[in-house]
Amino acid sequence: MNKILIIEDEERISNVQKAYLEKEGYEVHTSTTGLQGLELFDSIEFSLVILDLMLPDIQGEEICKIIRGKSDVHIFMVTAKSALEDRIEGLNTGADEYLVKPFSPRELVARVNSLFRRLDSNNSSVLSFDNENIQIYKDSRIVKVRGQEIPLTPNEFDILYVLAANKGKVLTREQLIDRAFGMDFEGFDRTVDVHIKNIRKKIEEDSKNPKYILTVIRLGYKFGGDN
């Protein structure tokens, strides 16, 4: 059973979300403070964290950084801030999805179900390039560069895998969103650019002159490694 942690200071909201998610068969734990949420996270293995940014003790962005520093768990960031800059900042902090309040509990359930359907559909396989200089393990969701395991967020991994699995083929931002996140993803094109920038920093020797994730001007991106 997938376990979900909701960190939300408004109990009325978290109780409604909890009820809807539990009807779908998820095990849901809630916390009204950041510190309590971090304690819960350290004691239970969660598959997803739904994190509100406005908390009474610690800013949600700081909690996201702490969690991302020790886990690749999926993180849905929840906030009333809807500006593009806020969304980009949230993704750079390590969030996988950015939900703007208000949203219905049914929308939340749909996004959570979509996430786990995507994960459950993964087949075991390994992609290897440049004499195993870079290896991408789909089943364990691990990426190794020159033998060293590289920490990627779940969305970063999904984008990298889709590009690598379609090596040499140009994919538009819309195609990447569709194949990596699903058609019901309601993000924005810049989401892909932010993730690409972060992936390059982690896997490329020179992110300014990338070897693996190549930009095709006015079209999109393609993977350029050698089999």
PDB file of all heavy atoms in Angstrom, residues 161-188:
ATOM      1  N   TYR A 161      14.718   9.582 -18.514  1.00  0.00           N
ATOM      2  CA  TYR A 161      14.461   8.246 -19.059  1.00  0.00           C
ATOM      3  C   TYR A 161      13.737   8.327 -20.402  1.00  0.00           C
ATOM      4  O   TYR A 161      14.082   7.610 -21.351  1.00  0.00           O
ATOM      5  CB  TYR A 161      13.657   7.391 -18.085  1.00  0.00           C
ATOM      6  CG  TYR A 161      13.575   5.950 -18.545  1.00  0.00           C
ATOM      7  CD1 TYR A 161      14.569   5.039 -18.195  1.00  0.00           C
ATOM      8  CD2 TYR A 161      12.544   5.520 -19.377  1.00  0.00           C
ATOM      9  CE1 TYR A 161      14.524   3.730 -18.646  1.00  0.00           C
ATOM     10  CE2 TYR A 161      12.494   4.221 -19.835  1.00  0.00           C
ATOM     11  CZ  TYR A 161      13.486   3.330 -19.472  1.00  0.00           C
ATOM     12  OH  TYR A 161      13.447   2.041 -19.937  1.00  0.00           O
ATOM     13  N   VAL A 162      12.743   9.198 -20.499  1.00  0.00           N
ATOM     14  CA  VAL A 162      12.005   9.332 -21.757  1.00  0.00           C
ATOM     15  C   VAL A 162      12.945   9.778 -22.870  1.00  0.00           C
ATOM     16  O   VAL A 162      12.904   9.240 -23.984  1.00  0.00           O
ATOM     17  CB  VAL A 162      10.842  10.331 -21.590  1.00  0.00           C
ATOM     18  CG1 VAL A 162      10.257  10.698 -22.954  1.00  0.00           C
ATOM     19  CG2 VAL A 162       9.751   9.741 -20.702  1.00  0.00           C
ATOM     20  N   LEU A 163      13.809  10.746 -22.598  1.00  0.00           N
ATOM     21  CA  LEU A 163      14.757  11.204 -23.617  1.00  0.00           C
ATOM     22  C   LEU A 163      15.716  10.085 -24.018  1.00  0.00           C
ATOM     23  O   LEU A 163      15.954   9.844 -25.209  1.00  0.00           O
ATOM     24  CB  LEU A 163      15.539  12.406 -23.092  1.00  0.00           C
ATOM     25  CG  LEU A 163      14.798  13.742 -23.068  1.00  0.00           C
ATOM     26  CD1 LEU A 163      15.600  14.777 -22.277  1.00  0.00           C
ATOM     27  CD2 LEU A 163      14.541  14.247 -24.487  1.00  0.00           C
ATOM     28  N   ALA A 164      16.276   9.392 -23.014  1.00  0.00           N
ATOM     29  CA  ALA A 164      17.254   8.337 -23.297  1.00  0.00           C
ATOM     30  C   ALA A 164      16.621   7.164 -24.027  1.00  0.00           C
ATOM     31  O   ALA A 164      17.234   6.555 -24.911  1.00  0.00           O
ATOM     32  CB  ALA A 164      17.906   7.874 -21.996  1.00  0.00           C
ATOM     33  N   ALA A 165      15.385   6.829 -23.664  1.00  0.00           N
ATOM     34  CA  ALA A 165      14.690   5.720 -24.313  1.00  0.00           C
ATOM     35  C   ALA A 165      14.341   6.036 -25.760  1.00  0.00           C
ATOM     36  O   ALA A 165      14.089   5.142 -26.565  1.00  0.00           O
ATOM     37  CB  ALA A 165      13.423   5.364 -23.530  1.00  0.00           C
ATOM     38  N   ASN A 166      14.339   7.334 -26.093  1.00  0.00           N
ATOM     39  CA  ASN A 166      14.075   7.771 -27.467  1.00  0.00           C
ATOM     40  C   ASN A 166      15.316   8.428 -28.061  1.00  0.00           C
ATOM     41  O   ASN A 166      15.224   9.443 -28.757  1.00  0.00           O
ATOM     42  CB  ASN A 166      12.904   8.746 -27.487  1.00  0.00           C
ATOM     43  CG  ASN A 166      11.592   8.104 -27.125  1.00  0.00           C
ATOM     44  OD1 ASN A 166      10.910   7.544 -27.967  1.00  0.00           O
ATOM     45  ND2 ASN A 166      11.232   8.161 -25.841  1.00  0.00           N
ATOM     46  N   LYS A 167      16.475   7.843 -27.778  1.00  0.00           N
ATOM     47  CA  LYS A 167      17.759   8.412 -28.166  1.00  0.00           C
ATOM     48  C   LYS A 167      17.762   8.859 -29.635  1.00  0.00           C
ATOM     49  O   LYS A 167      17.355   8.136 -30.537  1.00  0.00           O
ATOM     50  CB  LYS A 167      18.863   7.380 -27.962  1.00  0.00           C
ATOM     51  CG  LYS A 167      20.238   7.844 -28.402  1.00  0.00           C
ATOM     52  CD  LYS A 167      21.228   6.714 -28.306  1.00  0.00           C
ATOM     53  CE  LYS A 167      22.551   7.106 -28.945  1.00  0.00           C
ATOM     54  NZ  LYS A 167      22.414   7.493 -30.353  1.00  0.00           N
ATOM     55  N   GLY A 168      18.223  10.103 -29.853  1.00  0.00           N
ATOM     56  CA  GLY A 168      18.342  10.644 -31.204  1.00  0.00           C
ATOM     57  C   GLY A 168      17.069  11.240 -31.756  1.00  0.00           C
ATOM     58  O   GLY A 168      17.094  11.921 -32.781  1.00  0.00           O
ATOM     59  N   LYS A 169      15.945  11.004 -31.074  1.00  0.00           N
ATOM     60  CA  LYS A 169      14.661  11.520 -31.552  1.00  0.00           C
ATOM     61  C   LYS A 169      14.349  12.839 -30.853  1.00  0.00           C
ATOM     62  O   LYS A 169      14.447  12.948 -29.641  1.00  0.00           O
ATOM     63  CB  LYS A 169      13.548  10.506 -31.264  1.00  0.00           C
ATOM     64  CG  LYS A 169      12.184  10.938 -31.749  1.00  0.00           C
ATOM     65  CD  LYS A 169      11.139   9.860 -31.481  1.00  0.00           C
ATOM     66  CE  LYS A 169       9.765  10.299 -31.970  1.00  0.00           C
ATOM     67  NZ  LYS A 169       8.745   9.237 -31.715  1.00  0.00           N
ATOM     68  N   VAL A 170      13.967  13.834 -31.634  1.00  0.00           N
ATOM     69  CA  VAL A 170      13.622  15.135 -31.061  1.00  0.00           C
ATOM     70  C   VAL A 170      12.223  15.059 -30.455  1.00  0.00           C
ATOM     71  O   VAL A 170      11.268  14.644 -31.122  1.00  0.00           O
ATOM     72  CB  VAL A 170      13.666  16.239 -32.127  1.00  0.00           C
ATOM     73  CG1 VAL A 170      13.266  17.569 -31.511  1.00  0.00           C
ATOM     74  CG2 VAL A 170      15.058  16.325 -32.741  1.00  0.00           C
ATOM     75  N   LEU A 171      12.112  15.454 -29.192  1.00  0.00           N
ATOM     76  CA  LEU A 171      10.828  15.484 -28.503  1.00  0.00           C
ATOM     77  C   LEU A 171      10.492  16.921 -28.123  1.00  0.00           C
ATOM     78  O   LEU A 171      11.329  17.631 -27.550  1.00  0.00           O
ATOM     79  CB  LEU A 171      10.861  14.610 -27.244  1.00  0.00           C
ATOM     80  CG  LEU A 171      11.121  13.113 -27.459  1.00  0.00           C
ATOM     81  CD1 LEU A 171      11.200  12.398 -26.116  1.00  0.00           C
ATOM     82  CD2 LEU A 171      10.019  12.493 -28.320  1.00  0.00           C
ATOM     83  N   THR A 172       9.308  17.353 -28.454  1.00  0.00           N
ATOM     84  CA  THR A 172       8.878  18.685 -28.059  1.00  0.00           C
ATOM     85  C   THR A 172       8.608  18.697 -26.556  1.00  0.00           C
ATOM     86  O   THR A 172       8.510  17.651 -25.912  1.00  0.00           O
ATOM     87  CB  THR A 172       7.595  19.096 -28.791  1.00  0.00           C
ATOM     88  OG1 THR A 172       6.516  18.240 -28.360  1.00  0.00           O
ATOM     89  CG2 THR A 172       7.776  18.989 -30.305  1.00  0.00           C
ATOM     90  N   ARG A 173       8.467  19.877 -26.005  1.00  0.00           N
ATOM     91  CA  ARG A 173       8.139  19.989 -24.588  1.00  0.00           C
ATOM     92  C   ARG A 173       6.807  19.309 -24.295  1.00  0.00           C
ATOM     93  O   ARG A 173       6.653  18.654 -23.268  1.00  0.00           O
ATOM     94  CB  ARG A 173       8.102  21.462 -24.156  1.00  0.00           C
ATOM     95  CG  ARG A 173       9.468  22.129 -24.170  1.00  0.00           C
ATOM     96  CD  ARG A 173       9.351  23.633 -24.023  1.00  0.00           C
ATOM     97  NE  ARG A 173      10.656  24.283 -23.981  1.00  0.00           N
ATOM     98  CZ  ARG A 173      11.390  24.551 -25.050  1.00  0.00           C
ATOM     99  NH1 ARG A 173      10.940  24.217 -26.258  1.00  0.00           N
ATOM    100  NH2 ARG A 173      12.559  25.152 -24.927  1.00  0.00           N
ATOM    101  N   GLU A 174       5.846  19.484 -25.198  1.00  0.00           N
ATOM    102  CA  GLU A 174       4.543  18.859 -25.006  1.00  0.00           C
ATOM    103  C   GLU A 174       4.645  17.340 -25.010  1.00  0.00           C
ATOM    104  O   GLU A 174       3.990  16.655 -24.202  1.00  0.00           O
ATOM    105  CB  GLU A 174       3.570  19.318 -26.106  1.00  0.00           C
ATOM    106  CG  GLU A 174       3.176  20.784 -26.027  1.00  0.00           C
ATOM    107  CD  GLU A 174       4.256  21.712 -26.583  1.00  0.00           C
ATOM    108  OE1 GLU A 174       5.228  21.209 -27.210  1.00  0.00           O
ATOM    109  OE2 GLU A 174       4.142  22.937 -26.378  1.00  0.00           O
ATOM    110  N   GLN A 175       5.478  16.778 -25.896  1.00  0.00           N
ATOM    111  CA  GLN A 175       5.661  15.329 -25.929  1.00  0.00           C
ATOM    112  C   GLN A 175       6.335  14.825 -24.659  1.00  0.00           C
ATOM    113  O   GLN A 175       5.981  13.760 -24.133  1.00  0.00           O
ATOM    114  CB  GLN A 175       6.475  14.931 -27.158  1.00  0.00           C
ATOM    115  CG  GLN A 175       5.715  15.069 -28.466  1.00  0.00           C
ATOM    116  CD  GLN A 175       6.602  14.832 -29.673  1.00  0.00           C
ATOM    117  OE1 GLN A 175       7.773  15.248 -29.707  1.00  0.00           O
ATOM    118  NE2 GLN A 175       6.068  14.160 -30.685  1.00  0.00           N
ATOM    119  N   LEU A 176       7.313  15.585 -24.169  1.00  0.00           N
ATOM    120  CA  LEU A 176       7.968  15.193 -22.926  1.00  0.00           C
ATOM    121  C   LEU A 176       6.994  15.203 -21.756  1.00  0.00           C
ATOM    122  O   LEU A 176       6.989  14.278 -20.927  1.00  0.00           O
ATOM    123  CB  LEU A 176       9.145  16.124 -22.633  1.00  0.00           C
ATOM    124  CG  LEU A 176      10.457  15.801 -23.345  1.00  0.00           C
ATOM    125  CD1 LEU A 176      11.470  16.917 -23.117  1.00  0.00           C
ATOM    126  CD2 LEU A 176      11.021  14.471 -22.862  1.00  0.00           C
ATOM    127  N   ILE A 177       6.177  16.235 -21.675  1.00  0.00           N
ATOM    128  CA  ILE A 177       5.181  16.307 -20.605  1.00  0.00           C
ATOM    129  C   ILE A 177       4.227  15.127 -20.695  1.00  0.00           C
ATOM    130  O   ILE A 177       3.920  14.468 -19.701  1.00  0.00           O
ATOM    131  CB  ILE A 177       4.410  17.643 -20.684  1.00  0.00           C
ATOM    132  CG1 ILE A 177       5.320  18.796 -20.238  1.00  0.00           C
ATOM    133  CG2 ILE A 177       3.156  17.600 -19.816  1.00  0.00           C
ATOM    134  CD1 ILE A 177       4.700  20.170 -20.418  1.00  0.00           C
ATOM    135  N   ASP A 178       3.759  14.826 -21.912  1.00  0.00           N
ATOM    136  CA  ASP A 178       2.814  13.735 -22.112  1.00  0.00           C
ATOM    137  C   ASP A 178       3.413  12.392 -21.704  1.00  0.00           C
ATOM    138  O   ASP A 178       2.813  11.612 -20.969  1.00  0.00           O
ATOM    139  CB  ASP A 178       2.381  13.707 -23.583  1.00  0.00           C
ATOM    140  CG  ASP A 178       1.365  12.614 -23.876  1.00  0.00           C
ATOM    141  OD1 ASP A 178       0.731  12.119 -22.929  1.00  0.00           O
ATOM    142  OD2 ASP A 178       1.196  12.268 -25.053  1.00  0.00           O
ATOM    143  N   ARG A 179       4.649  12.128 -22.170  1.00  0.00           N
ATOM    144  CA  ARG A 179       5.250  10.812 -21.935  1.00  0.00           C
ATOM    145  C   ARG A 179       5.820  10.656 -20.533  1.00  0.00           C
ATOM    146  O   ARG A 179       5.845   9.550 -19.987  1.00  0.00           O
ATOM    147  CB  ARG A 179       6.341  10.556 -22.974  1.00  0.00           C
ATOM    148  CG  ARG A 179       5.800  10.552 -24.399  1.00  0.00           C
ATOM    149  CD  ARG A 179       6.865  10.176 -25.408  1.00  0.00           C
ATOM    150  NE  ARG A 179       6.397  10.379 -26.773  1.00  0.00           N
ATOM    151  CZ  ARG A 179       7.041   9.969 -27.849  1.00  0.00           C
ATOM    152  NH1 ARG A 179       8.194   9.313 -27.720  1.00  0.00           N
ATOM    153  NH2 ARG A 179       6.553  10.196 -29.049  1.00  0.00           N
ATOM    154  N   ALA A 180       6.285  11.739 -19.943  1.00  0.00           N
ATOM    155  CA  ALA A 180       6.891  11.644 -18.612  1.00  0.00           C
ATOM    156  C   ALA A 180       5.872  11.804 -17.497  1.00  0.00           C
ATOM    157  O   ALA A 180       5.955  11.138 -16.466  1.00  0.00           O
ATOM    158  CB  ALA A 180       7.999  12.694 -18.449  1.00  0.00           C
ATOM    159  N   PHE A 181       4.888  12.691 -17.699  1.00  0.00           N
ATOM    160  CA  PHE A 181       3.966  13.031 -16.612  1.00  0.00           C
ATOM    161  C   PHE A 181       2.541  12.588 -16.857  1.00  0.00           C
ATOM    162  O   PHE A 181       1.733  12.542 -15.928  1.00  0.00           O
ATOM    163  CB  PHE A 181       3.966  14.549 -16.368  1.00  0.00           C
ATOM    164  CG  PHE A 181       5.323  15.127 -16.157  1.00  0.00           C
ATOM    165  CD1 PHE A 181       5.649  16.366 -16.657  1.00  0.00           C
ATOM    166  CD2 PHE A 181       6.296  14.428 -15.453  1.00  0.00           C
ATOM    167  CE1 PHE A 181       6.904  16.911 -16.465  1.00  0.00           C
ATOM    168  CE2 PHE A 181       7.558  14.963 -15.261  1.00  0.00           C
ATOM    169  CZ  PHE A 181       7.861  16.200 -15.766  1.00  0.00           C
ATOM    170  N   GLY A 182       2.172  12.303 -18.117  1.00  0.00           N
ATOM    171  CA  GLY A 182       0.801  11.922 -18.418  1.00  0.00           C
ATOM    172  C   GLY A 182       0.011  13.089 -18.990  1.00  0.00           C
ATOM    173  O   GLY A 182       0.302  14.256 -18.743  1.00  0.00           O
ATOM    174  N   MET A 183      -1.034  12.759 -19.739  1.00  0.00           N
ATOM    175  CA  MET A 183      -1.802  13.787 -20.431  1.00  0.00           C
ATOM    176  C   MET A 183      -2.586  14.684 -19.489  1.00  0.00           C
ATOM    177  O   MET A 183      -2.970  15.794 -19.845  1.00  0.00           O
ATOM    178  CB  MET A 183      -2.770  13.127 -21.424  1.00  0.00           C
ATOM    179  CG  MET A 183      -2.073  12.436 -22.580  1.00  0.00           C
ATOM    180  SD  MET A 183      -3.214  11.820 -23.822  1.00  0.00           S
ATOM    181  CE  MET A 183      -3.867  13.363 -24.463  1.00  0.00           C
ATOM    182  N   ASP A 184      -2.858  14.203 -18.252  1.00  0.00           N
ATOM    183  CA  ASP A 184      -3.642  15.011 -17.314  1.00  0.00           C
ATOM    184  C   ASP A 184      -2.773  15.974 -16.514  1.00  0.00           C
ATOM    185  O   ASP A 184      -3.255  16.652 -15.614  1.00  0.00           O
ATOM    186  CB  ASP A 184      -4.462  14.126 -16.376  1.00  0.00           C
ATOM    187  CG  ASP A 184      -3.614  13.093 -15.649  1.00  0.00           C
ATOM    188  OD1 ASP A 184      -2.407  13.007 -15.941  1.00  0.00           O
ATOM    189  OD2 ASP A 184      -4.171  12.376 -14.802  1.00  0.00           O
ATOM    190  N   PHE A 185      -1.468  16.030 -16.831  1.00  0.00           N
ATOM    191  CA  PHE A 185      -0.589  16.983 -16.153  1.00  0.00           C
ATOM    192  C   PHE A 185      -0.990  18.403 -16.526  1.00  0.00           C
ATOM    193  O   PHE A 185      -1.204  18.714 -17.692  1.00  0.00           O
ATOM    194  CB  PHE A 185       0.863  16.724 -16.577  1.00  0.00           C
ATOM    195  CG  PHE A 185       1.862  17.673 -15.979  1.00  0.00           C
ATOM    196  CD1 PHE A 185       2.262  17.537 -14.669  1.00  0.00           C
ATOM    197  CD2 PHE A 185       2.413  18.706 -16.734  1.00  0.00           C
ATOM    198  CE1 PHE A 185       3.195  18.401 -14.120  1.00  0.00           C
ATOM    199  CE2 PHE A 185       3.341  19.567 -16.196  1.00  0.00           C
ATOM    200  CZ  PHE A 185       3.727  19.411 -14.881  1.00  0.00           C
ATOM    201  N   GLU A 186      -1.102  19.266 -15.528  1.00  0.00           N
ATOM    202  CA  GLU A 186      -1.564  20.629 -15.777  1.00  0.00           C
ATOM    203  C   GLU A 186      -0.476  21.651 -15.465  1.00  0.00           C
ATOM    204  O   GLU A 186      -0.740  22.733 -14.968  1.00  0.00           O
ATOM    205  CB  GLU A 186      -2.820  20.922 -14.956  1.00  0.00           C
ATOM    206  CG  GLU A 186      -4.005  20.059 -15.360  1.00  0.00           C
ATOM    207  CD  GLU A 186      -5.256  20.408 -14.606  1.00  0.00           C
ATOM    208  OE1 GLU A 186      -5.220  21.347 -13.796  1.00  0.00           O
ATOM    209  OE2 GLU A 186      -6.288  19.745 -14.816  1.00  0.00           O
ATOM    210  N   GLY A 187       0.744  21.306 -15.765  1.00  0.00           N
ATOM    211  CA  GLY A 187       1.843  22.229 -15.529  1.00  0.00           C
ATOM    212  C   GLY A 187       1.986  23.195 -16.693  1.00  0.00           C
ATOM    213  O   GLY A 187       1.021  23.551 -17.353  1.00  0.00           O
ATOM    214  N   PHE A 188       3.211  23.597 -16.992  1.00  0.00           N
ATOM    215  CA  PHE A 188       3.454  24.575 -18.037  1.00  0.00           C
ATOM    216  C   PHE A 188       4.743  24.213 -18.738  1.00  0.00           C
ATOM    217  O   PHE A 188       5.564  23.462 -18.218  1.00  0.00           O
ATOM    218  CB  PHE A 188       3.537  25.988 -17.457  1.00  0.00           C
ATOM    219  CG  PHE A 188       4.476  26.098 -16.276  1.00  0.00           C
ATOM    220  CD1 PHE A 188       5.741  26.613 -16.420  1.00  0.00           C
ATOM    221  CD2 PHE A 188       4.066  25.657 -15.022  1.00  0.00           C
ATOM    222  CE1 PHE A 188       6.601  26.697 -15.345  1.00  0.00           C
ATOM    223  CE2 PHE A 188       4.924  25.746 -13.930  1.00  0.00           C
ATOM    224  CZ  PHE A 188       6.187  26.263 -14.091  1.00  0.00           C
TER     225      PHE A 188
END
